[in-house]
Amino acid sequence: MKKEGIELIKDGKRLDGRDFDELRPIKIEVGVLKRADGSCYFELGDNKVIAAVYGPREMHPRHAQDAKMAVLKYRYNMAPFSVDERKRPGPDRRSVEISKVSREALEPVIIKEFYPKTEIDVYVEILQSDAGTRTAGINAASVALADAGIPMKDLVSSVAVGKIDGEVVLDLNAVEDNYGEADMPIAMVARRNTITALQMDGRMTKEEFDKGLKLAMNACRQIYELQRTALIERYSEM
Amino acid sequence: MKKEGIELIKDGKRLDGRDFDELRPIKIEVGVLKRADGSCYFELGDNKVIAAVYGPREMHPRHAQDAKMAVLKYRYNMAPFSVDERKRPGPDRRSVEISKVSREALEPVIIKEFYPKTEIDVYVEILQSDAGTRTAGINAASVALADAGIPMKDLVSSVAVGKIDGEVVLDLNAVEDNYGEADMPIAMVARRNTITALQMDGRMTKEEFDKGLKLAMNACRQIYELQRTALIERYSEM
Amino acid sequence: MKKEGIELIKDGKRLDGRDFDELRPIKIEVGVLKRADGSCYFELGDNKVIAAVYGPREMHPRHAQDAKMAVLKYRYNMAPFSVDERKRPGPDRRSVEISKVSREALEPVIIKEFYPKTEIDVYVEILQSDAGTRTAGINAASVALADAGIPMKDLVSSVAVGKIDGEVVLDLNAVEDNYGEADMPIAMVARRNTITALQMDGRMTKEEFDKGLKLAMNACRQIYELQRTALIERYSEM
Amino acid sequence: MGLEIMDDVRRDYIYNLVKRGKREDGRDFRDYREIKVEKDIIKRAEGSARVKIGNTEVLVGVKLEPGEPFPDSPDEGVIITNAELVPLASPEFEPGPPNEDSVQLARVVDRGIRGSEAIDLSKLCIEEGEKVWIVFIDIHVLDNDGNLVDAAALGAIAALLNIHIPAERYGLSSSEGEDTNTLPIRDKPVAVTMVDVGGEILVDPNYNEEKAAVSGLTVITNTDGTISGMQKYGREGLAEDKISEMVEIGIEKADELRRRFL
Amino acid sequence: MGLEIMDDVRRDYIYNLVKRGKREDGRDFRDYREIKVEKDIIKRAEGSARVKIGNTEVLVGVKLEPGEPFPDSPDEGVIITNAELVPLASPEFEPGPPNEDSVQLARVVDRGIRGSEAIDLSKLCIEEGEKVWIVFIDIHVLDNDGNLVDAAALGAIAALLNIHIPAERYGLSSSEGEDTNTLPIRDKPVAVTMVDVGGEILVDPNYNEEKAAVSGLTVITNTDGTISGMQKYGREGLAEDKISEMVEIGIEKADELRRRFL
Amino acid sequence: MGLEIMDDVRRDYIYNLVKRGKREDGRDFRDYREIKVEKDIIKRAEGSARVKIGNTEVLVGVKLEPGEPFPDSPDEGVIITNAELVPLASPEFEPGPPNEDSVQLARVVDRGIRGSEAIDLSKLCIEEGEKVWIVFIDIHVLDNDGNLVDAAALGAIAALLNIHIPAERYGLSSSEGEDTNTLPIRDKPVAVTMVDVGGEILVDPNYNEEKAAVSGLTVITNTDGTISGMQKYGREGLAEDKISEMVEIGIEKADELRRRFL
């Protein structure tokens, strides 16, 4: 599905000047919304996303409650103006799948047993998109969950790797994603080396995959530190 | 949004021969439907609308019930053949907004505390449209509520004023609405001088607004008398 | 609605070589699905349909339960690839009507009083269509209900008759349906001579109708024997 | 639960009446309630009719708009029949998309008009393969006291008679003679609905009779006595001879309605 | 039940404050909360603005895309205003299609822009009857602490100012001078919302004040002091003189906001 | 509650079996159940395949119809992959629009076909920017006893092989040689799904094993051993080395399936 005709690597650098293993600039703000129980604004290059957490709160309808633990819900949503061609409001197949994968990315760290019969709602809004919104969303959601005081075993960090002009590189931007050969978003509990989300499309050899996975895992560890720092700053302010 | 190029006032009269402060002919019939608890057929010029009331009746789903009072619902719906270009069946954004505004127009007079946990349903069908359907609908609904025996403090009466060819006039018809400069529907508890609905679009000065409001309030008092007369006739028949 | 220009009968035979009163080849397999409580695969010429039955099982939502008997549900659904022009997934008006008529075709034989508050679900999937899918579906559903052990007074059998080139003939195929003059599907409790479904479109005289009805009833008796044989074989295997 | 008991009581009441040869409103088994047909009451529609059968009231509006033909009949107009069981008409109707009852109502009426070929669709082609007239037949139910099908079918054919094709409104002038702007109607299909209560055939069931019946049949017939549509209803079967009798009654009553109202 | 009691308590609390001439956050009755307007924050949009009024936060993005004109105005662009009350913004918002609150929010903002004729739609025709620019004004609510209308309306007009028509992206080069690629804005409608609590008029109600109010009014006014949109809310009526007073306040406060932020 | 207890019992049962090196149906951890692939069984489809993996049964039909290209690839055909989890196939499937499970199933299969570039979309252009072939891949699940992904993916590629482009039906004669009417397939992506139960990797999980597993992975690989799609599932994480092992198994098993069935 990748298109050809654009040189994405020149003189060993990517079009935006990054090295192969270099993340785009990241900005994290915690507790940016008043009404939500927890929230986080997350920038990854030109991606701007915001996550809010509500709950644990009573679950409706009742027959969907789980008597043993909280139910985690996750809604990934793109603002209509977040992409070049206006996105029609409402869920589409892509956002339904991303919501599922993102929820499963976070589920392993949440101690759901503390709040039976309740639901914990994670809402992620993509305000501006430049490839990588699902990973930015998971990063934001992870921090927002912590900000909401949801009991968690650890934070989840997420990033994509991909293949452009035959090279395995970290954190594709939109041009690289459109003209590249493969894209692989992952999520990870950075301090436990556990992969909680993994998707891949495009074409890669096993060796490229192994290399990409290592690259992504390293980057997740960097992101983890930024998430942690942002939370510490937030709570030292308070 | 108003288009130009049609002269709407000639020799001090409107295209249909009316004076600036003149209502279109009104016809009211009470109790026209058998299955409904209350009903009213209302003509305003070429507008033909019918309102039915059901209730108070048990409210579903239960969690939407109000333990202290009845819940009023209002559904404004246009028949597909009521307008020049066939209207697709089902609610659209315009009808959703009109339903809300119309419900709020009637809410102040209904003694909802008498029937906790119930709902009172008002259904308004627009059979033929010629500008002014929402006001005709509120007038019809008000009479249908009385016909259904719903306890009310008073009747609500409704009419629009607007601005055409620079003049503030009463009760725009479709041509006037399409080529005029402003339209302002209001609803009112005529005997209490209380405005229960007010919308405005187009452009008016404050002075025009004041003048229009007085014009509308006077017309509501006329409509009130017609509503009252129709109800009295209905009950003297019985 | 029938189109003209194709000769459907030549030398007293139909285009596919059948006599006027001849059914297309029928193939019945019972118990073809593992997860369903009962199932049946049914071929009628080029029609391939499969029916599954689930239940009696608890009915949701509860307020839709019938305290005195089971509720029968029936869903007729065409696979997107079952017709020449891809069918968009999901119910359309045709399938909603067919589901209703098919449910009513089966209702008279099901002893619903045995299972109050439950629902019995019949799901019919049309995998390949060649005119006659609703009748094939009813035949399949009837056998699947028996396979599921639902208590029944008898089996229901179904077939269509129609009019082509002025002749009343049995079991129209797609070409005959498209270019013919009338189509009349019926369902019947074959051993009781009771008609449980009857629809007709096109144009027929009363005499043609009478003739067609007799033709269809005879064919239902044939189909009944095939259904019965298929069930007996299934249970003698077990 | 309360409602279910009421259903049983009503069913027994109607059943016992019928067993004594009577109907709730005093009619004979083969009689229609009083029928009123008013035509051309909706200005915005190309054709319209309000039909009352007793307390049942249905408004049918017909509109014509240019649109795309179906790929398999590029030179023919299109009929779209739609029924709205708006909640104004009955405490049992709920707002929302069409359910199986409104779909069936629309499709039975539609089938009668199609089967009779009442509308000459070949006259509704504007530009082959590109643009044809879409005939929207919208059935708007106002009061449901039973037998919506006959009221809707009668309203539909009444509304279709005498329709002016709105060519001017869409800038589609007809080059030929002036009568090309009239929708040609070639037949007058009429629906007659009957139910079986206790083995008796009741024509034109009212709401209570519909509820008490175990089965029913609509027979739609044409000016020449041919049948152009049928539909059986209900949770019980019908014997062959009963159906045959119903078809005969249907032809006879349709003829009567056609002469009186169309 | 618990929640309803909370509602009553809050209502009484706000009411009693107002009766003593006070507001929850210490403002005067006629004062807005602190307002911040940031423009052009979304790269992918042709125009955007983030508006904060106190803790209320709304993001408005404007996009232009080629599309079909309405049949009755073949040479004019089209405005489509949409509001999403995404569940991120409030525990009371639920995912799903637009409900009456989001529809009303979008339509009131839309009415102000249309009524003022702020956008010269005749400049947005690409090919008469075939292709015009569609102006999508998308209101994305991020945090709801009351008075969404004023924030959304201010965001909409702020986002509309200084828009570059993306003709290149769609291969639609403009033959004429270069300034034809700027969306011409002719007026700056501003919405001012007030509520009635205990007979007092409060400008810019916060969430609790909205809940405590029995009625409210939005007045949208233009640079020349004319009115281009109004909407009354709530379950109680408003007297004529109260409305008249609100309109005057609306004109005055809009003027102030316009000068400060647009 | 009863059902939840059953879930626990089943989970323990499967877990304890695995801990003793066994599977419910006696297979080895790396074995597939019996697989049957039947091709071209649906006349109305341009291609079709029925795949059985044990009791799991999936029918895939492929249809080609002319339609509009995407604006950003005006000279390429379009693939639309859709999965219906019809309620016939499982007591857990409900009628209605696609939910997250059916969407994920369709998208994972779709990704494998796209990633491998199995279909040469540039060969599916009819008229640049105007008309291209839309390839509808419809996955119809008939019986769900686990591992729908592998069955659907195998069915999709099997159905895609040997497709005749229905140019005649749409009056689109191909001017060039006759083999232009065959859909060119350039690769044969095959999906292999594995789950983790108690730290062991089970290939081709059946329904009970899926329910007992805490995580899983689908690996889609091509003829040359490259990967063209992956998806992790489940409420627990997977360690790096476990994923690496799964990818190796995936490549090996895909090769086996490809040789046996494609």
Side-chain angles (χ1 to χ4, degrees), chain C:
Chain C
M1 290 309 295
K2 306 298 175 173
K3 290 159 217 95
E4 283 157 40
I6 287 203
E7 199 186 357
L8 296 169
I9 297 179
K10 278 187 191 168
D11 309 328
K13 293 274 185 184
R14 296 152 74 178
L15 289 188
D16 58 4
R18 278 189 289 157
D19 286 327
F20 295 172
D21 62 350
E22 191 177 343
L23 283 166
R24 287 174 284 181
I26 285 172
K27 183 177 156 190
I28 309 180
E29 285 178 55
V30 187
V32 293
L33 300 177
K34 174 169 187 266
R35 300 298 305 277
D37 296 324
S39 60
C40 175
Y41 174 76
F42 195 98
E43 275 187 19
L44 172 70
D46 274 344
N47 293 293
K48 298 182 178 188
V49 315
I50 189 163
V53 170
Y54 287 89
R57 56 183 176 184
E58 201 185 346
M59 183 155 186
H60 293 289
R62 287 202 169 184
H63 68 78
Q65 291 179 356
D66 186 322
K68 287 188 279 186
M69 60 186 89
V71 171
L72 182 68
K73 294 186 180 175
Y74 192 106
R75 181 179 186 260
Y76 167 101
N77 185 52
M78 297 195 104
F81 44 75
S82 63
V83 280
D84 274 335
E85 195 180 348
R86 178 177 184 263
K87 157 114 184 32
R88 266 186 66 173
D92 55 13
R93 290 153 55 109
R94 177 177 168 275
S95 66
V96 167
E97 192 199 18
I98 291 179
S99 296
K100 176 181 196 290
V101 166
S102 302
R103 187 189 68 228
E104 292 181 348
L106 294 166
E107 226 156 5
V109 298
I110 294 171
I111 307 173
K112 296 188 290 183
E113 291 73 13
F114 281 17
Y115 301 103
K117 300 190 182 181
T118 68
E119 70 182 56
I120 298 165
D121 291 289
V122 180
Y123 301 116
V124 170
E125 295 292 324
I126 309 305
L127 306 179
Q128 185 172 291
S129 156
D130 190 56
T133 57
R134 83 189 67 187
T135 66
I138 291 168
N139 290 328
S142 178
V143 173
L145 282 160
D147 183 43
I150 304 295
M152 295 162 80
K153 297 177 199 152
D154 213 327
L155 293 172
V156 172
S157 310
S158 179
V159 80
V161 288
K163 187 176 159 193
I164 59 170
D165 285 3
E167 298 287 345
V168 175
V169 303
L170 186 68
D171 184 22
L172 306 192
N173 64 25
V175 175
E176 292 173 333
D177 189 34
N178 283 335
Y179 295 93
E181 293 125 60
D183 183 35
M184 182 169 80
I186 79 154
M188 176 183 175
V189 191
R191 292 199 304 187
R192 298 174 186 227
N193 281 323
T194 309
I195 313 293
T196 63
L198 171 61
Q199 294 183 283
M200 187 271 199
D201 71 290
R203 196 188 266 253
M204 272 184 171
T205 64
K206 172 73 163 64
E207 292 67 39
E208 288 163 345
F209 165 75
D210 288 338
K211 190 173 170 189
L213 190 57
K214 289 220 181 311
L215 202 55
M217 291 175 77
N218 272 329
C220 281
R221 287 179 201 109
Q222 294 172 47
I223 292 166
Y224 170 79
E225 291 303 326
L226 297 172
Q227 290 171 305
R228 199 168 155 267
T229 306
L231 281 165
I232 290 172
E233 274 172 16
R234 165 74 174 167
Y235 290 102
S236 52
E237 278 170 21
M238 287 168 74

Side-chain angles (χ1 to χ4, degrees), chain A residues 35-55:
Chain A
R35 300 299 304 276
D37 296 323
S39 59
C40 175
Y41 174 77
F42 195 98
E43 275 186 17
L44 172 69
D46 274 345
N47 292 292
K48 298 183 178 187
V49 315
I50 191 164
V53 170
Y54 287 90

Side-chain angles (χ1 to χ4, degrees), chain E residues 1 14 18 21 23 40 48 51 69 77 79 88-89 104 117 158 165-166 188 199 202 206 218 221 226 237 241 247 258:
Chain E
M1 201 62 192
I14 296 292
V18 166
R23 294 176 80 168
D40 290 325
S48 59
V51 174
I79 303 173
L88 167 125
Q104 177 173 261
E117 298 182 301
I165 298 173
K188 295 174 183 172
L202 308 186
N206 69 16
T218 291
T221 50
T226 54
D241 57 348
V247 173
R258 195 178 296 110

